[in-house]
Amino acid sequence: MPPEIFSPIRWRDGALELLDQTRLPQAEEWLRCTRPEQVADAIRRLAVRGAPAIGVAAAYGLVLGLLSAPDGEPPAETLARTARLLGETRPTAVNLRWALDRGRDVLASQAESAALDREAAAAALLAWAERLQREDIASNLKIGEHGRSLFAPGDRVLTHCNTGALATAGYGTALGVLRAAHDAGRLELVWVDETRPLLQGSRLTAWELERLRIPYRLIPDAAAAALMARGDVQAVIVGADRIAANGDTANKIGTYGLAVLARHHGVPFYFAAPLSTIDPATPSGAEIPIEERSPDEVRSVFGAPIAPPDAPATNLAFDVTPAELIAAIVTDAGVLRPPYGEAIARALKKQAD
Ligand code: MRU
C-alpha cells in the first residue's frame, strides 16, 4: 500500500483491525477481530462502513472464518458458512456480495482445492484479501484522476455521507475525486451535509477534510436547497452503494432529494464508484434491496433521546436516484455518461475482455 495512503482496515498478527467509526471523531480506536462474528458485528454496527470498505472487511472476515473453523470442517464448507454470516449483515451495498462471491471463486480456483487444508486455504484467501485492498485503493486513485476534470477553479461542491478513505480501503471515491480536484486547484470548498441520522458527514467527512486540509463547511442536510438557490453550489458529488444495470443508483438516504434539488437548480449531479459497485444482475433501482435500520437511530443522537421514547419512526438507510437525474458516473474505467444502460454494459464488457 502506498505509504501516504491511510486505510481504516489493516491485518496485524493474524487479526483484522478496523478503525472504529462509531467512535470518531471523539476517539481513534482500533477494533481487533479474530473471529468472523466480530467482523459481522462491526459491519452491522457501522464500525466499518461504506460499500467498498465493507467488501474488503468481509474478505478478511472469510480468512478469519477459516482460521477459527472447527477441526475437520472442509474449507469450502467453512467458507460457505462464513459468507452466509457476513452476507446477511447489510443488504444494499453490492460490494459485500461481490467480495464474498470472489472469495469463493479464489478457493475454487486453487489447484486441488478439495484437498486443500485449512491453513493453505486461509493463506490463499489472505493473499487475495490483501490484493483486493490494494486494488480498491488503485481504483480510487483512478476515479480521482478521471473525475477531477469535472470541476473548475473556484467551484464549491456539495457532498453527502462519507465516501473518503474511511469508506474504502483508502483514498475514497467521491471524496477522492474532491481530493484530486483540490490538488489540481479545481476546488474552492466542499459543502459537507451532516447526514442524519448517523452523521457520517459531520463526524467522518469533516474529520477527513480536516486531516487533508481541504477547505469545507458543514451544513445541516436541510440547507442544501437554500445554498443552491443562492448559486453557491456548482456541483454535487456522492458515492454509491449499488448501481443497477440501467444506471439507477442507491446511496445514503437523502441522496435522491439532493439530485431532485440539483436538477431544479441546474446543478450537475455526479456519482463516483468503482465498477465493483455496478450490479448487472439488478436491472433497475426498483430491484435494489433497501436496508431499514432501527427506529432508535432516528429517535436519538449518540444515545441521547431527541423524541418521545416510543415515537414511531421510519429509518430507511438508503434511497435510489433515478438515472435520468445523473449527469455522470465517475468510475475507475472512466466517466460514464447517459444513456447509462449502454455505457455500463460497454464498461463491464471492456473490463471482462
Ligand atoms: O450506511 P453507510 O455509512 O455504510 O453508507 C455509506 C454510503 O452511503 C456511501 O455513500 C457509499 O457506501 C459509498 S462509500 C465510498
Side-chain angles (χ1 to χ4, degrees):
M1 183 180 321
E4 73 284 4
I5 295 285
F6 164 76
S7 181
I9 298 170
R10 64 191 187 198
W11 183 262
R12 286 238 170 125
D13 306 323
L16 173 65
E17 294 187 343
L18 301 168
L19 181 61
D20 186 347
Q21 298 188 33
T22 64
R23 304 281 293 125
L24 286 172
Q26 286 90 343
E28 293 177 30
E29 285 171 9
W30 289 82
L31 280 175
R32 198 171 156 81
C33 306
T34 52
R35 301 184 56 85
E37 291 78 8
Q38 295 167 310
V39 182
D41 181 58
I43 295 174
R44 227 178 264 116
R45 292 190 302 109
L46 273 54
V48 60
R49 47 146 297 283
I54 293 171
V56 173
Y60 285 108
L62 291 178
V63 179
L64 294 176
L66 285 162
L67 292 176
S68 61
D71 284 341
E73 186 178 53
E77 219 171 289
T78 306
L79 210 64
R81 182 172 55 73
T82 312
R84 263 197 312 279
L85 167 81
L86 294 164
E88 280 164 4
T89 52
R90 299 196 73 190
T92 304
V94 77
N95 305 60
L96 176 61
R97 201 190 68 208
W98 181 91
L100 295 173
D101 287 352
R102 262 158 202 74
R104 187 196 49 212
D105 295 348
V106 167
L107 194 63
S109 70
Q110 293 292 306
E112 294 157 26
S113 66
L116 216 58
D117 67 25
R118 202 165 75 185
E119 281 73 27
L125 261 281
L126 178 58
W128 161 74
E130 288 174 333
R131 198 166 64 242
L132 197 68
Q133 187 168 10
R134 286 193 301 273
E135 283 172 2
D136 185 57
I137 293 168
S139 296
N140 293 339
L141 290 167
K142 280 198 201 135
I143 291 171
E145 258 171 54
H146 292 306
R148 69 182 164 206
S149 51
L150 294 170
F151 304 106
D155 275 2
R156 299 176 146 222
V157 181
L158 192 145
T159 194
H160 191 63
C161 198
N162 171 267
T163 60
L166 291 171
T168 61
Y171 196 76
T173 57
L175 210 63
V177 172
L178 292 172
R179 187 172 169 178
H182 177 257
D183 290 349
R186 291 167 169 268
L187 180 77
E188 184 180 304
L189 175 100
V190 184
W191 294 114
V192 177
D193 259 4
E194 63 178 351
T195 317
R196 273 285 289 151
L198 295 180
L199 303 170
Q200 288 92 332
S202 57
R203 292 189 304 107
L204 308 176
T205 300
W207 182 82
E208 287 202 47
L209 291 172
E210 291 273 329
R211 285 170 61 117
L212 295 168
R213 298 184 193 288
I214 296 177
Y216 73 92
R217 266 172 187 261
L218 197 57
I219 55 167
D221 298 335
L227 288 173
M228 287 187 197
R230 279 188 354 189
D232 254 342
V233 180
Q234 279 66 54
V236 180
I237 188 161
V238 295
D241 283 83
R242 189 185 302 218
I243 302 173
N246 71 344
D248 292 350
T249 298
N251 190 47
K252 179 53 55 196
I253 193 78
T255 302
Y256 172 37
L258 283 174
V260 173
L261 287 178
R263 171 60 56 90
H264 180 75
H265 293 95
V267 171
F269 191 94
Y270 305 119
F271 280 99
L275 289 183
S276 53
T277 300
I278 297 177
D279 181 12
T282 298
S284 77
E287 291 83 27
I288 299 178
I290 299 294
E291 176 182 4
E292 193 158 351
R293 297 181 61 84
S294 163
D296 286 339
E297 293 179 350
V298 179
R299 291 190 285 241
S300 63
V301 175
F302 297 126
I306 56 165
D310 295 321
T314 299
N315 189 11
L316 300 175
F318 300 98
D319 58 27
V320 175
T321 299
E324 66 193 8
L325 296 179
I326 307 170
I329 302 176
V330 187
T331 74
D332 37 342
V335 177
L336 310 185
R337 299 274 185 183
Y340 291 111
E342 290 162 32
I344 285 173
R346 253 195 323 272
L348 292 179
K349 179 166 184 317
K350 201 162 158 207
Q351 185 193 39
D353 287 346

